Amino acid sequence: MTDQANILPGTLDLLILKAVSLGKLHGYGVLLRIEQISGGALQIQQGALYPALYRLEHKGLIQSEWGTSENNRRAKYYSLTKAGRRQLGEEVASWNSLADAIARALSARPQEG
Amino acid sequence: MLARLRSLLRGLFRRDTVEAEMREEFRHHIELRAADLVREGSSPEEAQRRAHLEFGHAEGHRETARASRGLKRFDDLRFSWLDFKLGFRMLVRYPGLTLMGGVAMAMGIAFGAGLFEFVMQWSRPELPFAGGARLVGIEVRDTETGGVEPRILHDFARWKEDLRSVEELGAFRLAGRNLVTGDGPGEPVLVTEVSASAFRLVGAPPLHGRTLLEDDERANASPVVVIGHDLWQDRFGGRLDAVGTTIRLGGTQATVVGVMPEGFEFPHSQNIWTSLRFDPLEFAPGEGPAIYLFGRLAPGASLELAQAEIETLGFQAAAAYPETHAGLAPRVVPFPELVHMPAPGLFNPEFLFLNLFILALVVLLCANVALLLFARAATRESELVVRSALGAGRRRIVLQLFSEALVLGGVATVVGLMGAKYGYEWFLTAIEGAEGPLPFWFEPRISPTTVLYALGLTVVGAAVAGILPALKVTRGVAASLRESTAGGGGLRFGGVWTLVIVAQVALTMPLPAFTYFALDEMAGVSRLHVDIATENFLTARLELDRDLESIAPTDLFDPNNAFGGSGLESDSAFLARYASNLDELERRLLAEPAVRAVTLVDRLPLTYHPAHQVELDEGAIAPPDERGHRISTARIEPNYFEAFGVPILVGRGFDSEDVISGARVVIVDEPFVDRVLGGRNPIGLRLRYIAIERAPPPGPDAPWYEIVGVVGDLGMENGYGRGGVYHPVARGENYPASLVIHLSSDPTGFSTRLRTLGAEVDPTLRVESLTSLEDIANGEEGIYAWGVSAVVLLTFTALMLSLAGIYAVMSFAVSRRTREIGIRVALGAKPRSLLLAIFRRPLVQVGLGVLAGAYLLGMLSHWMFGGITLGQMLLVAVYALVMAGVCLLACVVPTRRALGVEPVTALRAEG
């Protein structure tokens, strides 16, 4: 893993929700999943992931349960709650509209004034 | 919402589990990452190292995680053991500050706790035996006069049968008797004649022998007494054979049947008991001895229920005996109220005011400690900056400084509570010395409630002393951090501290003045000037045993009784016997070579006299207020002034003719002439009474008295000042009368002789309150001395602290300017202008404080004493100078240091 790419503030929670929505994951798994679905473009500072996970769990957007991981160790697995699914839908929609608006703004030409 | 709450509660109450899970999760993450790195070709050790590095600072993440769970707020409020350890270390490291601050806090707490304990014991007495809270008294009040009607033997007999909600109903009365335990004249004691049920009620087993029994109350039973521990020690030397001995009480022989254990007193502070033997059938309703009733609430009965029941019985009695019972209302009261004046309630203004006063005192003392701690915190700025940089939040640091103050406060509380116990003991002794014995539930102990109260004071004090300076310092720290300097000028003494110093100086200003006032008052009391040479006078109150005293001859109970305060039901036979006893005693006294003169009076000089309001037919000046001219009176025998050896200044003295003819003539004293007549000659003027203390007003037909003479000031004292009127009376008209014997030498040696002569005249004649006039003159001093010492001690502490605080803060403020001074010196500033620049601010602060304080003092003096004396003004001036001196001293030392520093060094210095 190389240095962390800059993630826009506030997007880490969105990425975690997305990653977890694709299936139950433990903390390290969430990290790998984000890297994988972003094609390696997004890297998260590893330790910073956990406060975000706990924050989402504290808000009731994800839930956790203990299970056994690939190396036969006890691990905590995170999954999306109903509230989390709703939140993910809203955030994705608002992210898309924001991205569209920025894209439109950036593609403006001189005569469009 | 629910999820958050659940997560928060889990974080708070299952903290260890949550932390362990977090650690396990991090470990698991690092293991998986290391395994991936090994797969990518790193060596296991290298993989471990990189995985840790990539993961970052685990404690930092944990901290953020706690914050994201909303736990940080609670963590900031957690005291850690380390804070307290640091607090203790600080105590040792700064012994001067510890001593100064600790003593200040301890004094405040000792004073507060002691006062609180007294008020608690007064207003919420805890009787020291099982079921004490259920002990009640029954009193009957005359609805017209508001006084107590104590002649309730009849009602007692009936209520014993009918009353369901109060059990073990008993009665007692107090009777003065001469107690003779061996040879010699004996001494008067206050005997409690009491029902046997009293001993069952309080559940006190005797130390030796037995207590009183119902059988002892039969008319034909032989008289027995039970004695208290102190009496047993004093009179019998604690001998076991005391039980079974015969003693004499007045005219009665009685056998000692029991000794009560140490500390047992009942109903108030008495320690000799005999059976109450009165047959209700011998008396008509509304007659008989003065008795007091007590009992215990029956199981399940409340005070209200008992009150309702007794009211019903009261109505029945009023219907059955309208002549005697029509205006009477019986009441059930908690027992302490029966024998001791009830205290103000816990929520009445006086009590709240007292609490506010205590709180203000503690806050003031702690504000001084705050100044000291602030100066100390300021010197620790670098340490705090480093802690901040390491991630300690502001709240964390404030909490650390608060816990340091708490440690100091805790030590101070332990010391303060010990001080409170001893101080309270001292206070009770002083009160008992001045006012007579207190009821048995006043004990020099500190109750758990008071300990809690003291702890509350400690927390308040520590908050003032710790949190305030901490807030101020941490603000400076934040600034230092922003400026990336450790301890570089972040701390500023802004307006708040100017205000603190000004307030400090202002508030301590009145203290010396009030101390001076207290000392002056004290000196006034001890110097009570009278125109009598007080050395060679012996005084005593003379009383005669009597079976049917209408009121106990003590101030134990409300003197405002059903008889308008006259003290006794008039009984001419009794008074004739009394008068003939006095004649005989006088005859024997005058036969003694040491005795020069004997006289009798109703109230002795220098003791309290009731204040009555008088008017004159002409010549009186306007009274000071709407209460009119309040003056004292004394009823004297014609030879009174002669016996004291004081001359009649104007007009004439009394002679026996005045008494025999019943002429309405009076003699007034000089203070009366000054106060009421503005110094005019009073001879021939007439006066009359328009209000009499503790009695109904005399009305428009009040008789006029002619003033025939003026004497000097013989110490007629009431709450309104000196000044009084003397009325001539015949022997036997005063009961009880006070005897004054003028001796040719020191009076103390004559006491026993007087008792012997009294016993020879009549064994039932009691010589009470035997004391010299000198002791009476000095008697008031005990309680004053206590109050004054307490005030002086507190004032001194507050002053010392205040000065130390001001010194610390000012010298710190100046030392912060070392760099500036160095630069100014380097730039060639003249020392004088430099000094002016440095000293201006502190001097302005102290000056403002002195002005504000003088204004405050002026207002207080005006409000309390109607003006300020020259002595007080001088004292204030001296104090202002001392303040200015301290302030200068505080500035001089650091300034000298700063002036001596090389400019280059100064530039490198902090600040």
Side-chain angles (χ1 to χ4, degrees):
Chain A
M1 266 187 207
T2 51
D3 284 350
Q4 151 199 21
N6 278 335
I7 296 182
L8 276 175
T11 51
L12 178 59
D13 289 10
L14 175 61
L15 289 170
I16 292 175
L17 288 178
K18 180 67 198 173
V20 173
S21 73
L22 303 173
K24 274 188 192 172
L25 292 167
H26 52 60
Y28 187 62
V30 172
L31 192 84
L32 294 178
R33 197 60 188 263
I34 292 176
E35 277 186 25
Q36 181 226 330
I37 58 182
S38 67
L42 296 175
Q43 289 181 359
I44 295 156
Q45 204 228 326
Q46 296 182 36
L49 172 74
Y50 288 91
L53 279 171
Y54 300 148
R55 184 169 54 243
L56 293 171
E57 188 182 11
H58 181 68
K59 288 179 178 169
L61 303 177
I62 57 176
Q63 59 197 12
S64 64
E65 56 185 322
W66 288 91
T68 311
S69 71
E70 57 271 36
N71 63 349
N72 275 330
R73 288 284 305 272
R74 224 165 76 94
K76 203 172 182 183
Y77 281 88
Y78 295 93
S79 56
L80 213 54
T81 62
K82 260 196 198 133
R85 197 166 297 285
R86 219 178 14 252
Q87 179 80 5
L88 177 62
E90 287 168 14
E91 292 220 12
V92 166
S94 76
W95 174 264
N96 286 340
S97 65
L98 178 70
D100 283 350
I102 290 176
R104 263 202 308 280
L106 293 178
S107 60
R109 298 221 174 83
Q111 63 269 33
E112 298 177 10
Chain B
M1 189 66 218
L2 208 63
R4 277 172 206 242
L5 191 67
R6 207 175 315 138
S7 146
L8 182 68
L9 289 177
R10 190 164 180 264
L12 284 176
F13 295 106
R14 302 199 45 204
R15 189 52 172 275
D16 294 348
T17 315
V18 169
E19 292 281 323
E21 285 177 0
M22 218 171 354
R23 278 195 296 275
E24 192 171 358
E25 226 180 333
F26 288 7
R27 212 173 25 244
H28 179 247
H29 180 112
I30 290 167
E31 273 174 20
L32 288 175
R33 176 69 190 139
D36 278 355
L37 288 169
V38 168
R39 270 195 294 279
E40 287 170 20
S42 301
S43 69
E45 295 79 19
E46 176 61 14
Q48 272 294 335
R49 195 184 66 78
R50 270 189 59 193
H52 272 287
L53 211 60
E54 285 176 7
F55 190 82
H57 185 250
E59 182 48 43
H61 295 316
R62 265 199 293 272
E63 193 66 44
T64 321
R66 287 183 202 119
S68 65
R69 279 202 166 111
L71 290 174
K72 191 164 170 7
R73 224 169 305 154
F74 293 92
D75 283 1
D76 279 350
L77 292 178
R78 270 191 182 204
F79 286 103
S80 76
W81 173 233
L82 185 71
D83 288 335
F84 287 115
K85 228 159 72 177
L86 208 61
F88 275 108
R89 204 175 300 152
M90 286 290 162
L91 290 189
V92 179
R93 230 177 95 183
Y94 297 89
L97 188 142
T98 302
L99 194 70
M100 202 77 192
V103 164
M105 282 172 122
M107 293 237 356
I109 285 163
F111 190 76
L115 211 50
F116 184 80
E117 180 66 45
F118 174 65
V119 172
M120 285 304 282
Q121 288 190 16
W122 186 18
S123 60
R124 304 223 160 161
E126 282 179 29
L127 304 187
F129 42 79
R134 300 187 64 76
L135 205 63
V136 292
I138 299 177
E139 60 177 27
V140 177
R141 284 199 178 262
D142 184 326
T143 48
E144 250 180 59
T145 63
V148 172
E149 170 52 76
R151 291 167 300 180
I152 47 175
L153 194 64
H154 245 264
D155 308 81
F156 171 48
R158 248 172 354 94
W159 292 341
K160 230 171 151 170
E161 301 296 320
D162 301 344
L163 204 53
R164 292 280 160 269
S165 50
V166 178
E167 58 185 18
E168 296 280 21
L169 191 65
F172 70 85
R173 72 165 193 147
L174 300 175
R177 295 284 180 265
N178 279 326
L179 169 65
V180 183
T181 50
D183 302 332
E187 273 180 41
V189 291
L190 203 54
V191 180
T192 310
E193 296 181 5
V194 64
S195 309
S197 65
F199 293 91
R200 283 198 301 275
L201 274 181
V202 301
L207 189 64
H208 302 295
R210 63 170 177 91
T211 57
L212 299 174
L213 305 171
E214 263 79 6
D215 279 351
D216 300 326
E217 294 170 14
R218 284 182 292 108
N220 57 358
S222 61
V224 294
V225 295
V226 172
I227 57 174
H229 192 272
D230 290 355
L231 199 81
W232 177 53
Q233 292 292 340
D234 288 350
R235 296 299 187 94
F236 297 94
R239 290 195 317 275
L240 289 180
D241 61 8
V243 175
T245 36
T246 304
I247 59 165
R248 214 179 67 219
L249 281 174
T252 315
Q253 300 275 0
T255 311
V256 178
V257 293
V259 177
M260 293 308 284
E262 195 170 1
F264 179 82
E265 292 174 337
F266 188 85
H268 179 279
S269 51
Q270 287 69 34
N271 57 12
I272 178 162
W273 303 268
T274 179
S275 298
L276 183 73
R277 311 208 260 193
F278 283 107
D279 185 356
L281 298 176
E282 287 181 18
F283 301 96
E287 286 185 7
I291 57 167
Y292 298 87
L293 307 187
F294 59 88
R296 185 173 47 211
L297 290 173
S302 65
L303 203 61
E304 292 73 25
L305 181 73
Q307 178 57 38
E309 193 188 0
I310 200 96
E311 265 176 30
T312 312
L313 292 172
F315 292 141
Q316 289 170 2
Y321 312 105
E323 298 83 26
T324 51
H325 284 65
L328 298 184
R331 275 192 337 138
V332 180
V333 295
F335 182 78
E337 275 185 41
L338 182 78
V339 295
H340 190 61
M341 55 181 160
L346 282 182
F347 295 102
N348 82 334
E350 283 164 42
F351 194 72
L352 288 177
F353 179 76
L354 179 79
N355 269 317
L356 273 178
F357 170 73
I358 293 174
L359 205 64
L361 183 85
V362 170
V363 166
L364 183 74
L365 287 169
C366 289
N368 285 298
V369 180
L371 269 181
L372 293 172
L373 286 182
F374 174 72
R376 183 178 78 182
T379 58
R380 290 164 58 192
E381 200 191 346
S382 308
E383 172 207 334
L384 299 178
V385 169
V386 171
R387 280 199 66 178
S388 265
L390 289 176
R394 184 176 180 196
R395 234 179 303 188
R396 194 60 259 148
I397 290 179
V398 169
L399 210 63
Q400 180 204 327
L401 294 175
F402 175 52
S403 48
E404 283 177 22
L406 260 185
V407 169
L408 181 66
V411 173
T413 305
V414 174
V415 176
L417 281 172
M418 289 197 301
K421 187 177 178 320
Y422 289 113
Y424 186 42
E425 201 166 343
W426 180 35
F427 174 70
L428 287 183
T429 312
I431 281 203
E432 293 203 323
E435 308 287 326
L438 284 162
F440 62 90
W441 57 83
F442 280 93
E443 287 279 331
R445 61 185 160 79
I446 297 295
S447 67
T449 319
T450 304
V451 172
L452 279 179
Y453 179 79
L455 289 177
L457 284 181
T458 310
V459 172
V460 170
V464 172
I467 292 180
L468 287 182
L471 286 175
K472 180 75 191 156
V473 168
T474 46
R475 202 171 306 150
V477 165
S480 292
L481 273 176
R482 275 199 300 279
E483 292 167 24
S484 322
T485 61
L491 269 178
R492 289 271 174 272
F493 284 82
V496 173
W497 289 99
T498 297
L499 200 68
V500 167
I501 290 177
V502 169
Q504 179 83 288
V505 177
L507 285 176
T508 49
M509 279 279 289
L511 289 179
F514 282 105
T515 313
Y516 173 82
F517 174 79
L519 289 170
D520 196 43
E521 184 86 342
M522 173 84 200
V525 169
S526 58
R527 267 203 318 261
L528 274 181
H529 164 80
V530 280
D531 297 331
I532 311 172
T534 51
E535 295 85 47
N536 294 339
F537 290 93
L538 186 64
T539 73
R541 197 175 62 247
L542 297 174
E543 293 181 6
L544 199 56
D545 292 4
R546 195 175 179 210
D547 271 344
L548 293 184
E549 282 159 24
S550 311
I551 182 163
T554 69
D555 290 335
L556 198 72
F557 303 106
D558 183 5
N560 187 9
N561 58 78
F563 314 102
S566 66
L568 261 189
E569 182 185 16
S570 187
D571 178 337
S572 51
F574 172 77
L575 290 177
R577 185 160 64 98
Y578 182 61
S580 71
N581 269 333
L582 296 186
D583 288 341
E584 179 59 20
L585 182 62
E586 182 187 41
R587 200 181 57 74
R588 289 174 187 243
L589 278 169
L590 290 173
E592 295 286 318
V595 175
R596 288 185 179 175
V598 174
T599 189
L600 289 143
V601 61
D602 63 341
R603 283 191 181 81
L604 291 165
L606 299 172
T607 58
Y608 173 79
H609 293 63
H612 309 309
Q613 194 181 337
V614 291
E615 66 173 356
L616 269 77
D617 54 355
E618 56 176 303
I621 56 173
D625 54 36
E626 73 284 353
R627 287 187 301 254
H629 292 292
R630 316 287 294 206
I631 53 91
S632 310
T633 63
R635 291 147 53 94
I636 59 172
E637 297 201 340
N639 73 336
Y640 186 75
F641 301 117
E642 230 171 290
F644 273 110
V646 294
I648 303 294
L649 302 174
V650 185
R652 66 172 181 90
F654 293 134
D655 53 37
S656 48
E657 193 52 41
D658 292 325
V659 175
I660 295 163
S661 67
R664 293 214 165 99
V665 290
V666 293
I667 289 176
V668 295
D669 62 10
E670 274 188 309
F672 176 96
V673 173
D674 292 339
R675 267 177 56 199
V676 182
L677 288 152
R680 190 169 304 130
N681 182 352
I683 304 297
L685 296 179
R686 295 186 314 152
L687 63 84
R688 68 173 177 179
Y689 296 95
I690 48 182
I692 293 180
E693 190 169 310
R694 295 182 187 162
D701 302 330
W704 288 97
Y705 295 91
E706 188 189 341
I707 300 173
V708 295
V710 179
V711 289
D713 183 354
L714 273 64
M716 280 239 246
E717 183 71 41
N718 63 35
Y720 301 91
R722 290 285 176 89
V725 176
Y726 292 94
H727 292 260
V729 294
R731 181 151 302 172
E733 279 187 48
N734 283 333
Y735 184 87
S738 287
L739 173 76
V740 179
I741 309 171
H742 190 178
L743 292 149
S744 53
S745 59
D746 179 38
T748 43
F750 197 75
S751 307
T752 317
R753 185 69 192 135
L754 175 59
R755 285 200 193 288
T756 310
L757 292 174
E760 283 171 8
V761 170
D762 184 342
T764 63
L765 180 69
R766 301 193 307 278
V767 181
E768 303 262 6
S769 310
L770 196 59
T771 168
S772 70
L773 200 57
E774 190 72 4
D775 284 346
I776 292 179
N778 300 337
E780 285 288 294
E781 284 180 37
I783 199 98
Y784 267 104
W786 189 88
V788 168
S789 342
V791 168
V792 168
L793 199 65
L794 276 170
T795 309
F796 183 74
T797 311
L799 277 184
M800 282 294 103
L801 253 180
S802 174
L803 295 177
I806 289 168
Y807 181 93
V809 170
M810 283 201 169
S811 72
F812 176 76
V814 173
S815 67
R816 305 284 295 179
R817 298 171 70 178
T818 301
R819 184 174 177 171
E820 175 203 345
I821 295 167
I823 293 172
R824 284 178 171 222
V825 170
L827 293 175
K830 287 198 172 56
R832 210 175 61 171
S833 62
L834 199 55
L835 287 179
L836 273 178
I838 294 169
F839 282 49
R840 200 181 58 225
R841 187 166 182 181
L843 279 174
V844 164
Q845 287 170 341
V846 170
L848 281 175
V850 167
L851 284 177
Y855 179 73
L856 186 72
L857 175 63
M859 281 204 335
L860 283 172
S861 297
H862 188 78
W863 175 58
M864 287 171 71
F865 321 117
I868 190 163
T869 66
L870 184 70
Q872 284 184 342
M873 279 211 237
L874 276 173
L875 198 78
V876 169
V878 168
Y879 182 59
L881 283 175
V882 169
M883 275 282 181
V886 165
C887 155
L888 285 177
L889 204 65
C891 305
V892 163
V893 179
T895 308
R896 275 195 51 190
R897 220 181 14 233
L899 286 174
V901 168
E902 288 293 322
V904 180
T905 322
L907 285 174
R908 276 205 299 267
E910 289 186 1

